[in-house]
Amino acid sequence: MSTIDISTARKVAHLARIRVAEDQLPKLAEQLSGILTFMEQLNEVDVTGVDPMTSVTPMRLKRRADVVTDGGYPDKVLSNAPDAREGFFAVPKVVE
Amino acid sequence: MLDLTFQPPKPKVIAGAKADWELVIGMEIHAQVASNAKLFSGASTAFGSEPNSNVAFVDAAMPGMLPVINDFCVEQAVRTGLGLKAQINLMSAFDRKNYFYPDLPQGYQISQLYHPIVGMGEVLVEMGPGVARLVRVERIHLEQDAGKSIHDMDPSLSFVDFNRTGVALMEIVSRPDIRGPEEAAAYVAKLRQILRYLGTCDGNMQNGNLRADVNVSVCRPGQYEKYQATQDFSHLGTRCEIKNMNSMRFIQQAIDYEARRQIAILEDGGSVVQETRLYDPDKGETRSMRSKEEAHDYRYFPCPDLLPLELEQAWVDDIAARMPELPDAKKARFMGDYGLTDYDASVLTAELDAADYFDAVAHGRDGKQAANWVINELFGRLNKEGLAIADSPVSAAQLGGLLDLLGNQTISGKIAKDLFEILWTEGGDPAQIVESRGMKQVTDTGAIEAAVDEIIAANPAQVDKAKQNPKLAGWFVGQVMKATGGKANPAAVNDLVMRKLGL
């Protein structure tokens, strides 16, 4: 049975950019482990020959024509930015 | 038909301080789909627009916005797959590749890790007459491009433009079948040529519409053959991935540098660390992108916003029925039908526009002569004036007309060049120009004979010399050609001169 330990919980939180206080990690790890355990329980069901269900109704992926119908509103796109200059989002410097 | 007999090229061998080493290279090519709108939104893909003006709320990842796939982009991926003789997967699906970066507003890239739209295909990379590498393509998947960061507009800030965000890319992944820097560049060039023939990607590397990630490893001679026999990667060395290159020259330089770096480490008793590296063309070296290391844990999972992409076989068949003639087939046809050399056929099929032009000129005419005129006269002149074939002042019909006049001996080769010049600078119908300007070749033996007699009579000293040394007869031919304004048939003049001089 796979479990999520505290260090894995810490790593996953960091990768998701979610700040979790150190004293909250044990509880989080326990909850995540509980989810995994449930998944493993589901794995016990024999689904041989059953296609994965991707939608609750018999729907197919809707497609769009290759026509420009959107965009052209940079002010709206930038309106929630903490910092925007000269039409760009401005962020702390990232250089490789 | 297609002549597919070829020998594989020898792998590049680099001599280290202690031993010989071979290179093993695999490539991931990101080719931007030549669509009007983005992969999952209705925003424009136009290059060079005002920052953030080609951004829909879907691209900016505003809450509640849902992606709707662009049908045309799906079709282009299928066309590309068919062009690479690849398997088309009627059922594919989209996954989220999760990482944080300022140019990725969603916090994930929608891609196709588990079920790509295109499976195994191949690219034949010619390295010379009869020498070619068959590079296996493992898969092609559709994915979103990221935005663009600009770092030099402010000392402490990076500026981000999302115009590119969400533009459709085809990631074309090769197997590690490429064995040297030159092969790598030739592979990119061949793929670019096929994409441009298909019209699925414009191949503009300068604008970043075609970029390459290169995986490089080195191994001792003999190891690669073991890998090919077993497909077991443990026979190969540890690879490094050089990211995001958009120049053939840089690709070659980066591979060469990276191979030598790895060889130096190995011969020193060290081991190569698998990592992502960046090529710095100014310094001519690759360096580690440490920031990407942790991000390698992408936690892929199926994108819950998109149902699987299901294709009908009939739809795929319809695309297959509309495929254009591709470079290999066109080249084989030019060699077979028009009798062109391998080299001339390669030159004429490099770009589709030029191939079409040549096809129109050569159709129903002497193919070799047409090739000479297109390559030497037309391409030569276009290059000199910095023009593309589409901007050629001389149309294929005009050049064809010129060749007809040359073929039926209405004009001489010399006059044909004058006629080409007139067509280039003034335009017009070749036959009418020749008629109205009296450029017709004189085949009337009487007129030529009179001119020959005149020259012989006027130059008794030269006649004596020529009788001593028959090679000097050429002087008379030249004089007669001059006297007739280049319109006399050179062969007829030559015959007459020889006869009159008794040679």
Side-chain angles (χ1 to χ4, degrees):
Chain A
M1 195 173 80
S2 57
T3 53
I4 301 250
D5 60 16
I6 289 173
S7 76
T8 306
R10 188 185 292 117
K11 188 184 167 203
V12 171
H14 175 68
L15 285 172
R17 299 297 187 272
I18 296 172
R19 184 184 295 146
V20 179
E22 198 65 20
D23 63 349
Q24 294 293 310
L25 284 173
K27 191 182 166 195
L28 186 68
E30 190 190 322
Q31 289 175 339
L32 289 171
S33 292
I35 293 169
L36 279 191
T37 307
F38 177 60
M39 292 298 168
E40 276 172 11
Q41 197 181 339
L42 286 178
N43 272 340
E44 291 169 15
V45 181
D46 182 6
V47 291
T48 316
V50 180
D51 285 336
M53 188 180 80
T54 51
S55 170
V56 288
T57 53
M59 276 174 67
R60 298 192 72 174
L61 183 65
K62 195 172 148 46
R63 300 195 204 169
R64 192 167 44 78
D66 184 32
V67 180
V68 176
T69 56
D70 209 343
Y73 40 75
D75 293 345
K76 285 186 182 173
V77 167
L78 292 166
S79 62
N80 288 326
D83 190 0
R85 303 180 190 195
E86 296 171 53
F88 295 93
F89 288 89
V91 301
K93 195 137 203 141
V94 272
V95 178
E96 287 294 348
Chain B
M1 262 320 285
L2 267 175
D3 179 16
L4 290 178
T5 52
F6 55 86
Q7 291 292 314
K10 291 209 161 53
K12 164 124 178 169
V13 175
I14 294 181
K18 295 175 181 163
D20 281 350
W21 297 85
E22 288 182 3
L23 281 69
V24 179
I25 300 159
M27 296 184 95
E28 292 162 21
I29 306 290
H30 293 88
Q32 181 179 322
V33 176
S35 61
N36 298 316
K38 295 183 180 181
L39 181 55
F40 294 117
S41 87
S44 168
T45 61
F47 181 83
S49 304
E50 286 297 305
N52 293 303
S53 60
N54 298 338
V55 182
F57 291 135
V58 180
D59 310 315
M62 293 298 172
M65 305 311 293
L66 289 172
V68 181
I69 197 162
N70 182 330
D71 194 42
F72 178 82
C73 296
V74 176
E75 183 181 339
Q76 302 321 302
V78 170
R79 275 170 72 79
T80 303
L82 292 170
L84 304 186
K85 298 176 191 149
Q87 173 202 329
I88 306 301
N89 295 325
L90 296 181
M91 169 77 95
S92 65
F94 291 93
D95 305 295
R96 288 185 181 178
K97 176 180 182 177
N98 300 281
Y99 65 96
F100 285 98
Y101 210 70
D103 63 12
L104 189 77
Q106 288 170 152
Y108 54 84
Q109 176 193 36
I110 302 179
S111 182
Q112 297 190 297
L113 178 69
Y114 300 112
H115 303 286
I117 185 164
V118 177
M120 251 331 205
E122 62 186 41
V123 178
L124 187 67
V125 183
E126 286 171 320
M127 301 303 296
V131 181
R133 177 79 68 195
L134 190 65
V135 177
R136 293 169 300 165
V137 168
E138 189 170 292
R139 57 190 279 151
I140 303 175
H141 60 256
L142 278 168
E143 64 181 27
Q144 299 175 298
D145 203 351
K148 184 177 163 59
S149 303
I150 298 162
H151 305 296
D152 56 5
M153 287 178 70
D154 187 283
S156 60
L157 297 170
S158 288
F159 283 20
V160 188
D161 175 9
F162 289 158
N163 280 350
R164 232 192 161 104
T165 306
V167 166
L169 302 179
M170 296 177 283
E171 180 168 329
I172 305 166
V173 183
S174 88
R175 283 285 173 91
D177 292 350
I178 301 163
R179 305 303 314 282
E182 297 78 15
E183 279 183 41
Y187 169 74
V188 177
K190 183 60 181 284
L191 203 50
R192 180 176 179 275
Q193 184 191 27
I194 294 171
L195 293 168
R196 284 172 56 82
Y197 266 61
L198 291 167
T200 58
C201 167
D202 70 11
N204 186 332
M205 297 184 78
Q206 208 165 3
N207 289 358
N209 297 354
L210 190 76
R211 332 193 273 273
D213 296 346
V214 189
N215 285 288
V216 182
S217 69
V218 297
C219 66
R220 301 295 310 280
Q223 290 300 109
Y224 184 78
E225 287 69 21
K226 287 184 194 164
Y227 155 71
Q228 279 293 10
T230 60
Q231 296 297 307
D232 177 356
F233 287 107
S234 69
H235 294 295
L236 302 179
T238 304
R239 66 190 154 89
C240 285
E241 182 178 21
I242 314 165
K243 280 275 184 199
N244 224 9
M245 284 182 288
N246 64 347
S247 131
M248 309 275 189
R249 192 159 56 91
F250 293 164
I251 288 170
Q252 294 190 56
Q253 289 170 356
I255 292 171
D256 193 68
Y257 174 88
E258 179 58 20
R260 288 171 198 281
R261 184 187 74 86
Q262 292 180 15
I263 291 167
I265 290 172
L266 294 169
E267 292 198 335
D268 228 25
S271 55
V272 174
V273 180
Q274 184 172 342
E275 63 179 355
T276 305
R277 299 179 70 84
L278 204 62
Y279 181 66
D280 182 338
D282 295 330
K283 291 183 181 151
E285 60 186 39
T286 63
R287 61 186 151 80
S288 181
M289 292 172 78
R290 292 184 206 290
S291 62
K292 285 264 180 181
E293 292 312 288
E294 195 182 43
H296 263 306
D297 191 346
Y298 291 126
R299 295 149 296 138
Y300 280 96
F301 62 87
C303 183
D305 289 341
L306 291 159
L307 287 165
L309 177 55
E310 293 173 83
L311 310 179
E312 306 289 343
Q313 185 61 51
W315 187 74
V316 175
D317 291 345
D318 183 52
I319 296 170
R322 288 182 285 116
M323 290 291 278
E325 183 182 39
L326 290 172
D328 289 343
K330 200 180 284 289
K331 186 180 161 187
R333 178 167 64 83
F334 282 6
M335 290 171 73
D337 290 4
Y338 295 131
L340 303 192
T341 61
D342 190 288
Y343 179 80
D344 283 355
S346 292
V347 170
L348 289 167
T349 53
E351 295 284 343
L352 186 57
D353 285 352
D356 286 345
Y357 186 102
F358 168 74
D359 227 348
V361 174
H363 189 74
R365 301 195 176 92
D366 177 345
K368 283 184 185 172
Q369 190 180 42
N372 284 338
W373 274 84
V374 171
I375 294 173
N376 299 325
E377 303 303 324
L378 183 75
F379 288 1
R381 188 65 183 268
L382 289 170
N383 279 343
K384 204 170 133 193
E385 310 217 353
L387 291 174
I389 186 97
D391 307 320
S392 171
V394 180
S395 72
Q398 285 173 310
L399 187 54
L402 178 151
L403 292 181
D404 287 341
L405 295 167
L406 193 56
N408 64 22
Q409 312 229 328
T410 306
I411 55 173
S412 66
K414 187 190 167 298
I415 291 291
K417 293 196 178 179
D418 295 343
L419 175 58
F420 182 81
E421 182 64 32
I422 294 168
L423 291 172
W424 183 280
T425 49
E426 302 171 35
D429 176 64
Q432 272 175 15
I433 292 168
V434 166
E435 188 66 46
S436 66
R437 304 198 188 185
M439 295 165 79
K440 273 191 180 168
Q441 179 164 256
V442 181
T443 42
D444 171 9
T445 328
I448 298 174
E449 203 169 347
V452 174
D453 286 342
E454 202 174 305
I455 303 284
I456 287 179
N459 298 281
Q462 289 289 338
V463 173
D464 286 342
K465 281 190 198 163
K467 282 184 174 163
Q468 302 293 320
N469 181 3
K471 280 182 187 163
L472 295 176
W475 180 83
F476 287 92
V477 176
Q479 291 299 309
V480 174
M481 293 304 289
K482 208 170 169 183
T484 57
K487 289 183 291 184
N489 180 321
V493 174
N494 198 52
D495 283 353
L496 276 167
V497 166
M498 297 309 255
R499 193 150 52 82
K500 298 264 175 191
L501 290 175
L503 295 171

